[in-house]
Coordinates of all heavy atoms in Angstrom, one line a residue:
M41 N 3.5 -21.9 23.3 CA 2.0 -22.0 23.2 C 1.6 -23.3 23.8 O 0.6 -23.5 24.5 CB 1.6 -21.8 21.7 CG 0.2 -22.2 21.5 SD -0.8 -20.7 21.5 CE -2.3 -21.2 21.0
I42 N 2.3 -24.4 23.4 CA 2.0 -25.8 23.9 C 2.1 -25.8 25.4 O 1.3 -26.4 26.1 CB 2.8 -26.8 23.2 CG1 2.4 -26.9 21.8 CG2 2.6 -28.2 23.9 CD1 3.2 -27.9 20.9
K43 N 3.2 -25.2 25.9 CA 3.4 -25.2 27.4 C 2.3 -24.5 28.1 O 1.9 -24.9 29.2 CB 4.8 -24.5 27.7 CG 5.9 -25.3 27.3 CD 7.2 -24.6 27.8 CE 8.4 -25.3 27.4 NZ 9.7 -24.6 27.8
T44 N 1.7 -23.4 27.5 CA 0.6 -22.7 28.1 C -0.6 -23.6 28.2 O -1.4 -23.6 29.2 CB 0.3 -21.5 27.3 OG1 1.5 -20.6 27.3 CG2 -0.7 -20.6 28.1
V45 N -0.9 -24.3 27.1 CA -2.1 -25.2 27.0 C -1.9 -26.3 28.0 O -2.9 -26.6 28.8 CB -2.3 -25.8 25.6 CG1 -3.4 -26.8 25.6 CG2 -2.6 -24.6 24.6
V46 N -0.7 -26.9 28.1 CA -0.5 -28.0 29.1 C -0.7 -27.5 30.5 O -1.3 -28.1 31.3 CB 0.9 -28.7 28.8 CG1 1.2 -29.8 29.9 CG2 0.9 -29.4 27.5
A47 N -0.1 -26.4 30.8 CA -0.2 -25.8 32.1 C -1.6 -25.5 32.5 O -2.1 -25.7 33.6 CB 0.7 -24.5 32.2
G48 N -2.4 -25.0 31.5 CA -3.8 -24.7 31.7 C -4.6 -26.0 32.1 O -5.4 -26.1 32.9
M49 N -4.3 -27.0 31.2 CA -4.9 -28.3 31.5 C -4.6 -29.0 32.8 O -5.5 -29.5 33.6 CB -4.5 -29.3 30.3 CG -5.2 -28.9 29.0 SD -4.6 -29.9 27.7 CE -5.1 -31.5 28.1
L50 N -3.3 -28.8 33.3 CA -2.9 -29.4 34.6 C -3.6 -28.5 35.7 O -4.0 -29.1 36.7 CB -1.4 -29.2 34.7 CG -0.6 -30.2 33.9 CD1 0.9 -30.1 34.0 CD2 -1.0 -31.7 34.3
G51 N -3.8 -27.2 35.6 CA -4.4 -26.4 36.5 C -5.9 -26.8 36.6 O -6.4 -26.9 37.7
A52 N -6.5 -26.9 35.5 CA -7.9 -27.4 35.5 C -8.1 -28.7 36.2 O -9.0 -28.9 37.0 CB -8.5 -27.4 34.1
A53 N -7.3 -29.7 35.9 CA -7.3 -31.0 36.5 C -7.1 -30.9 38.0 O -7.7 -31.6 38.8 CB -6.3 -31.9 35.9
A54 N -6.2 -30.0 38.4 CA -5.9 -29.9 39.9 C -7.1 -29.3 40.6 O -7.5 -29.8 41.7 CB -4.7 -29.1 40.1
L55 N -7.8 -28.3 40.0 CA -9.0 -27.8 40.6 C -10.1 -28.7 40.6 O -10.8 -28.8 41.6 CB -9.4 -26.5 39.8 CG -8.5 -25.3 40.0 CD1 -9.0 -24.2 39.1 CD2 -8.6 -24.8 41.4
L56 N -10.2 -29.6 39.7 CA -11.3 -30.6 39.6 C -11.0 -31.6 40.7 O -11.9 -32.0 41.4 CB -11.3 -31.3 38.3 CG -12.3 -32.4 38.1 CD1 -13.8 -31.8 38.2 CD2 -12.2 -33.1 36.8
F57 N -9.8 -32.0 40.9 CA -9.5 -33.0 41.9 C -9.6 -32.4 43.3 O -10.3 -33.1 44.2 CB -8.0 -33.5 41.7 CG -7.6 -34.5 42.8 CD1 -8.1 -35.8 42.8 CD2 -6.8 -34.1 43.8 CE1 -7.7 -36.8 43.6 CE2 -6.4 -35.1 44.8 CZ -6.8 -36.4 44.7
V58 N -9.2 -31.2 43.5 CA -9.4 -30.5 44.8 C -10.8 -30.3 45.2 O -11.2 -30.4 46.3 CB -8.5 -29.3 44.9 CG1 -8.8 -28.5 46.1 CG2 -7.0 -29.6 44.9
G59 N -11.6 -30.0 44.2 CA -13.0 -29.7 44.4 C -13.9 -30.9 44.7 O -15.0 -30.6 45.3
Q60 N -13.4 -32.1 44.6 CA -14.2 -33.2 44.9 C -14.2 -33.5 46.4 O -13.2 -33.4 47.0 CB -13.6 -34.5 44.2 CG -13.6 -34.4 42.7 CD -15.1 -34.5 42.1 OE1 -15.9 -35.1 42.7 NE2 -15.3 -33.7 41.1
P61 N -15.4 -33.7 46.9 CA -15.4 -34.0 48.4 C -14.8 -35.4 48.7 O -14.9 -36.3 47.9 CB -16.9 -34.0 48.7 CG -17.6 -34.3 47.4 CD -16.7 -33.8 46.3
A62 N -14.2 -35.4 49.8 CA -13.6 -36.7 50.3 C -14.7 -37.7 50.6 O -15.7 -37.4 51.0 CB -12.7 -36.5 51.6
K63 N -14.4 -39.0 50.3 CA -15.4 -40.1 50.5 C -15.3 -40.3 52.0 O -14.2 -40.5 52.6 CB -15.0 -41.3 49.7 CG -15.0 -41.1 48.3 CD -16.5 -41.0 47.8 CE -16.6 -41.0 46.3 NZ -17.8 -40.9 45.8
A64 N -16.5 -40.5 52.6 CA -16.5 -40.9 54.0 C -18.0 -41.4 54.3 O -18.9 -40.9 53.6 CB -16.3 -39.6 54.9
D65 N -18.1 -42.3 55.1 CA -19.5 -42.9 55.4 C -19.5 -43.4 56.8 O -18.5 -43.5 57.5 CB -19.7 -44.1 54.5 CG -20.1 -43.7 53.1 OD1 -21.0 -42.7 53.0 OD2 -19.6 -44.3 52.1
W66 N -20.6 -43.8 57.3 CA -20.8 -44.5 58.5 C -20.6 -46.0 58.3 O -21.2 -46.6 57.4 CB -22.3 -44.3 59.0 CG -22.5 -43.0 59.5 CD1 -23.2 -41.9 58.9 CD2 -22.1 -42.3 60.8 NE1 -23.2 -40.7 59.7 CE2 -22.5 -41.0 60.8 CE3 -21.4 -42.8 61.9 CZ2 -22.3 -40.1 61.9 CZ3 -21.1 -42.0 63.0 CH2 -21.6 -40.7 62.9
L67 N -19.7 -46.5 59.1 CA -19.5 -47.9 59.1 C -20.2 -48.6 60.3 O -19.9 -48.2 61.4 CB -17.9 -48.2 59.2 CG -17.5 -49.7 59.3 CD1 -17.8 -50.4 57.9 CD2 -16.0 -49.7 59.5
C68 N -21.1 -49.4 60.1 CA -22.0 -50.0 61.1 C -21.8 -51.4 61.4 O -21.6 -52.3 60.5 CB -23.4 -49.7 60.6 SG -23.9 -48.1 60.5
G69 N -21.7 -51.7 62.7 CA -21.7 -53.1 63.2 C -23.1 -53.4 63.6 O -24.1 -52.7 63.4
P70 N -23.2 -54.4 64.4 CA -24.6 -54.9 64.9 C -25.2 -53.9 65.8 O -26.5 -53.7 65.8 CB -24.3 -56.2 65.6 CG -22.9 -56.4 65.7 CD -22.3 -55.4 64.9
D71 N -24.5 -53.1 66.6 CA -25.1 -52.1 67.5 C -24.4 -50.9 67.6 O -24.6 -50.0 68.5 CB -25.2 -52.8 68.9 CG -23.8 -53.1 69.6 OD1 -22.8 -53.1 68.8 OD2 -23.8 -53.3 70.7
Q72 N -23.5 -50.6 66.8 CA -22.8 -49.2 66.7 C -22.3 -48.8 65.3 O -22.0 -49.7 64.6 CB -21.6 -49.3 67.7 CG -20.9 -48.0 67.9 CD -19.8 -48.1 69.0 OE1 -20.0 -48.8 69.9 NE2 -18.9 -47.3 68.9
C73 N -22.4 -47.5 65.0 CA -22.0 -47.0 63.8 C -20.9 -45.9 64.0 O -21.1 -45.1 64.9 CB -23.1 -46.4 63.0 SG -24.4 -47.6 62.5
V74 N -19.8 -46.0 63.3 CA -18.7 -45.0 63.5 C -18.4 -44.4 62.2 O -18.6 -45.0 61.1 CB -17.4 -45.6 64.1 CG1 -17.6 -46.1 65.5 CG2 -16.9 -46.8 63.2
W75 N -17.9 -43.1 62.2 CA -17.6 -42.4 60.9 C -16.2 -42.8 60.5 O -15.3 -42.8 61.3 CB -17.7 -40.9 61.2 CG -17.5 -40.0 60.1 CD1 -16.5 -39.3 59.7 CD2 -18.5 -39.8 59.0 NE1 -16.7 -38.6 58.6 CE2 -17.9 -38.9 58.1 CE3 -19.8 -40.3 58.8 CZ2 -18.5 -38.4 57.0 CZ3 -20.5 -39.8 57.6 CH2 -19.8 -38.9 56.8
V76 N -16.1 -43.2 59.2 CA -14.7 -43.5 58.7 C -14.5 -42.7 57.4 O -15.4 -42.2 56.8 CB -14.7 -45.0 58.3 CG1 -14.8 -45.9 59.5 CG2 -15.8 -45.4 57.3
T77 N -13.3 -42.4 57.2 CA -12.9 -41.5 56.1 C -12.5 -42.2 54.9 O -11.7 -41.9 54.1 CB -11.7 -40.5 56.6 OG1 -10.6 -41.4 57.0 CG2 -12.1 -39.7 57.8
Y78 N -13.3 -43.2 54.6 CA -13.3 -43.9 53.3 C -14.6 -44.2 52.9 O -15.5 -44.3 53.7 CB -12.3 -45.1 53.4 CG -12.6 -46.1 54.4 CD1 -13.5 -47.1 54.3 CD2 -11.9 -46.0 55.6 CE1 -13.7 -48.0 55.2 CE2 -12.2 -46.9 56.7 CZ -13.1 -47.9 56.5 OH -13.3 -48.9 57.4
N79 N -14.8 -44.7 51.7 CA -16.2 -45.0 51.0 C -16.5 -46.5 51.5 O -15.8 -47.4 51.2 CB -16.1 -44.8 49.6 CG -17.5 -44.9 49.0 OD1 -18.5 -44.6 49.7 ND2 -17.5 -45.1 47.8
V80 N -17.5 -46.5 52.2 CA -18.1 -47.9 52.6 C -18.9 -48.4 51.5 O -19.8 -47.7 51.0 CB -18.9 -47.8 53.9 CG1 -19.4 -49.1 54.4 CG2 -18.0 -47.2 55.1
V81 N -18.7 -49.6 51.2 CA -19.4 -50.3 50.1 C -20.9 -50.3 50.4 O -21.7 -50.0 49.5 CB -18.9 -51.7 49.9 CG1 -19.6 -52.4 48.8 CG2 -17.4 -51.7 49.4
S82 N -21.3 -50.7 51.6 CA -22.7 -50.9 51.8 C -23.1 -50.2 53.1 O -22.7 -50.6 54.2 CB -23.1 -52.4 52.0 OG -24.4 -52.6 52.3
V83 N -23.8 -49.1 53.0 CA -24.3 -48.3 54.3 C -25.7 -48.8 54.5 O -26.5 -48.8 53.5 CB -24.2 -46.8 54.0 CG1 -24.7 -46.0 55.2 CG2 -22.8 -46.4 53.7
P84 N -26.1 -49.2 55.7 CA -27.4 -49.5 56.0 C -28.4 -48.5 55.7 O -28.1 -47.3 55.8 CB -27.4 -49.9 57.5 CG -26.0 -50.1 57.9 CD -25.1 -49.3 56.9
A85 N -29.6 -48.8 55.3 CA -30.6 -47.9 55.0 C -30.9 -46.9 56.1 O -31.1 -45.7 55.8 CB -32.0 -48.6 54.6
Y86 N -30.9 -47.2 57.3 CA -31.2 -46.4 58.4 C -30.1 -45.2 58.6 O -30.2 -44.3 59.2 CB -31.4 -47.1 59.7 CG -30.3 -48.0 60.1 CD1 -29.1 -47.6 60.8 CD2 -30.4 -49.5 59.9 CE1 -28.2 -48.5 61.1 CE2 -29.4 -50.3 60.2 CZ -28.2 -49.8 60.9 OH -27.3 -50.8 61.2
A87 N -28.8 -45.6 58.1 CA -27.7 -44.7 58.3 C -27.5 -43.8 57.1 O -26.6 -42.9 57.2 CB -26.4 -45.4 58.6
V88 N -28.2 -44.0 56.0 CA -28.0 -43.2 54.8 C -28.2 -41.7 54.9 O -27.5 -40.9 54.5 CB -28.9 -43.8 53.6 CG1 -28.7 -42.9 52.4 CG2 -28.3 -45.1 53.3
T89 N -29.2 -41.4 55.8 CA -29.6 -40.0 55.9 C -28.8 -39.2 57.0 O -28.9 -38.1 57.2 CB -31.1 -39.8 56.2 OG1 -31.4 -40.6 57.4 CG2 -31.9 -40.3 55.1
W90 N -28.0 -40.1 57.8 CA -27.2 -39.4 58.9 C -26.1 -38.6 58.3 O -25.4 -39.1 57.4 CB -26.6 -40.5 59.8 CG -27.6 -41.2 60.6 CD1 -28.9 -41.0 60.8 CD2 -27.3 -42.5 61.3 NE1 -29.5 -42.0 61.5 CE2 -28.5 -42.9 61.8 CE3 -26.2 -43.3 61.4 CZ2 -28.6 -44.0 62.6 CZ3 -26.3 -44.4 62.2 CH2 -27.5 -44.8 62.7
G91 N -25.9 -37.4 58.7 CA -24.8 -36.6 58.2 C -23.5 -36.9 59.0 O -23.5 -37.8 59.8
P92 N -22.5 -36.2 58.7 CA -21.2 -36.5 59.3 C -21.3 -36.0 60.8 O -22.1 -35.1 61.1 CB -20.1 -35.6 58.6 CG -21.0 -34.6 57.8 CD -22.3 -35.3 57.6
P93 N -20.5 -36.6 61.7 CA -20.6 -36.2 63.1 C -20.0 -34.8 63.4 O -19.3 -34.3 62.6 CB -19.7 -37.2 63.8 CG -18.7 -37.6 62.7 CD -19.4 -37.6 61.5
T94 N -20.5 -34.1 64.4 CA -20.1 -32.9 64.8 C -18.6 -32.9 65.4 O -18.0 -31.9 65.2 CB -21.0 -32.2 65.8 OG1 -21.1 -33.1 66.9 CG2 -22.4 -32.0 65.3
N95 N -18.2 -34.0 66.0 CA -16.9 -34.1 66.5 C -16.4 -35.5 66.0 O -17.2 -36.4 65.8 CB -16.8 -34.1 68.0 CG -17.1 -32.7 68.5 OD1 -16.7 -31.7 68.0 ND2 -17.9 -32.7 69.6
P96 N -15.1 -35.7 65.8 CA -14.5 -37.0 65.4 C -14.9 -38.2 66.3 O -15.0 -39.4 66.0 CB -13.1 -36.9 65.4 CG -12.9 -35.4 65.2 CD -14.0 -34.7 65.9
S97 N -15.2 -37.9 67.6 CA -15.3 -38.9 68.6 C -16.8 -39.3 68.7 O -17.2 -40.2 69.5 CB -14.8 -38.5 70.0 OG -15.5 -37.3 70.4
C98 N -17.8 -38.7 68.0 CA -19.1 -39.0 68.0 C -19.5 -40.3 67.3 O -18.8 -40.6 66.2 CB -19.9 -37.8 67.5 SG -19.7 -36.2 68.3
Y99 N -20.5 -41.0 67.7 CA -20.9 -42.1 67.0 C -22.4 -42.4 67.3 O -23.1 -41.7 68.1 CB -20.1 -43.4 67.5 CG -20.2 -43.6 69.0 CD1 -21.1 -44.5 69.5 CD2 -19.4 -42.9 69.9 CE1 -21.1 -44.8 70.8 CE2 -19.4 -43.2 71.2 CZ -20.3 -44.1 71.8 OH -20.3 -44.3 73.1
W100 N -23.0 -43.4 66.6 CA -24.4 -43.8 66.8 C -24.3 -45.2 67.5 O -23.6 -46.1 67.2 CB -25.0 -43.9 65.5 CG -25.5 -42.7 64.9 CD1 -24.7 -41.9 64.0 CD2 -26.7 -41.9 65.0 NE1 -25.4 -40.8 63.7 CE2 -26.6 -40.8 64.3 CE3 -27.9 -42.2 65.8 CZ2 -27.6 -39.8 64.2 CZ3 -28.8 -41.2 65.8 CH2 -28.7 -40.0 64.9
K101 N -25.2 -45.3 68.5 CA -25.2 -46.6 69.3 C -26.7 -47.0 69.3 O -27.7 -46.3 69.6 CB -24.7 -46.5 70.7 CG -24.6 -47.7 71.5 CD -23.8 -47.6 72.7 CE -23.8 -48.8 73.4 NZ -22.9 -49.8 72.9
Q102 N -26.9 -48.3 69.1 CA -28.3 -48.8 69.2 C -28.7 -49.1 70.6 O -27.9 -49.8 71.3 CB -28.4 -50.1 68.3 CG -29.9 -50.6 68.2 CD -29.9 -51.7 67.2 OE1 -29.1 -52.4 67.0 NE2 -31.2 -51.8 66.6
G103 N -29.8 -48.6 71.1 CA -30.2 -48.8 72.4 C -31.3 -49.8 72.6 O -31.5 -50.6 71.7
I104 N -32.0 -49.7 73.7 CA -33.0 -50.6 74.0 C -34.2 -50.4 73.0 O -34.4 -49.3 72.5 CB -33.6 -50.3 75.4 CG1 -32.4 -50.6 76.4 CG2 -34.8 -51.2 75.7 CD1 -32.8 -50.2 77.9
F105 N -34.9 -51.5 72.6 CA -35.9 -51.5 71.6 C -35.4 -51.1 70.2 O -36.3 -50.7 69.4 CB -37.1 -50.5 72.1 CG -37.5 -50.8 73.5 CD1 -37.4 -49.8 74.4 CD2 -38.2 -52.0 73.8 CE1 -37.9 -50.0 75.7 CE2 -38.6 -52.3 75.1 CZ -38.5 -51.3 76.0
G106 N -34.1 -51.2 69.9 CA -33.7 -51.0 68.5 C -33.5 -49.5 68.1 O -33.2 -49.3 67.0
R107 N -33.8 -48.6 69.0 CA -33.6 -47.2 68.6 C -32.2 -46.7 68.6 O -31.3 -47.1 69.5 CB -34.4 -46.3 69.6 CG -35.9 -46.6 69.6 CD -36.6 -45.6 70.4 NE -37.7 -45.0 69.6 CZ -38.3 -43.9 69.8 NH1 -38.1 -43.2 70.8 NH2 -39.2 -43.6 68.9
W108 N -31.7 -45.9 67.7 CA -30.4 -45.4 67.5 C -30.2 -44.1 68.3 O -31.1 -43.3 68.1 CB -30.0 -45.3 66.1 CG -29.9 -46.6 65.4 CD1 -30.8 -47.4 64.8 CD2 -28.7 -47.4 65.4 NE1 -30.2 -48.5 64.3 CE2 -29.0 -48.6 64.7 CE3 -27.4 -47.2 65.9 CZ2 -27.9 -49.6 64.6 CZ3 -26.4 -48.2 65.6 CH2 -26.7 -49.3 64.9
K109 N -29.2 -44.0 69.0 CA -28.9 -42.7 69.7 C -27.5 -42.2 69.2 O -26.6 -42.9 69.0 CB -28.8 -43.0 71.3 CG -30.0 -43.6 71.8 CD -29.9 -43.9 73.3 CE -31.1 -44.6 73.9 NZ -30.8 -45.0 75.3
Y110 N -27.6 -40.9 69.1 CA -26.3 -40.2 68.8 C -25.5 -39.9 70.0 O -26.1 -39.0 70.9 CB -26.7 -38.9 67.9 CG -25.5 -38.1 67.4 CD1 -24.7 -38.7 66.4 CD2 -25.2 -36.9 67.8 CE1 -23.6 -38.0 65.9 CE2 -24.1 -36.1 67.3 CZ -23.3 -36.7 66.4 OH -22.3 -36.0 65.9
I111 N -24.3 -40.3 70.2 CA -23.6 -40.1 71.3 C -22.3 -39.4 71.0 O -21.6 -39.7 70.0 CB -23.2 -41.5 72.0 CG1 -24.4 -42.2 72.4 CG2 -22.2 -41.3 73.1 CD1 -24.3 -43.5 72.9
C112 N -22.1 -38.3 71.7 CA -21.0 -37.4 71.4 C -20.2 -37.0 72.7 O -20.6 -36.0 73.3 CB -21.5 -36.2 70.7 SG -20.2 -35.4 69.7
P113 N -19.2 -37.9 73.1 CA -18.5 -37.6 74.3 C -17.7 -36.4 74.3 O -17.4 -35.8 73.4 CB -17.7 -38.9 74.6 CG -17.7 -39.6 73.3 CD -18.8 -39.0 72.3

């Protein structure tokens, strides 16, 4: 009986861990933001609403007049 309870608890813990989304954020420098697969401590306000890139090589670059452009080579 105890083995069944422990096995059930381990199974529930595994499902909880697997169900959590991986931490990832935009890491921004002065004129470019890249997607990193770890949690960034401070994401700039302008990048908070940006979703993940469509391809791993995509990034945001600040252009003329301070406007940000999504670049996906």
Side-chain angles (χ1 to χ4, degrees):
M41 172 95 172
I42 292 176
K43 288 182 181 180
T44 306
V45 171
V46 172
M49 290 172 61
L50 289 175
L55 286 175
L56 180 65
F57 180 73
V58 171
Q60 296 294 325
K63 297 285 185 183
D65 282 317
W66 288 101
L67 178 63
C68 296
D71 63 346
Q72 185 170 329
C73 295
V74 294
W75 186 253
V76 293
T77 56
Y78 54 86
N79 193 21
V80 176
V81 175
S82 179
V83 178
Y86 54 83
V88 171
T89 59
W90 297 344
T94 54
N95 293 321
S97 62
C98 300
Y99 60 95
W100 286 89
K101 184 167 179 75
Q102 189 172 25
I104 300 173
F105 306 117
R107 299 186 124 199
W108 287 91
K109 297 177 187 177
Y110 183 67
I111 299 173
C112 204

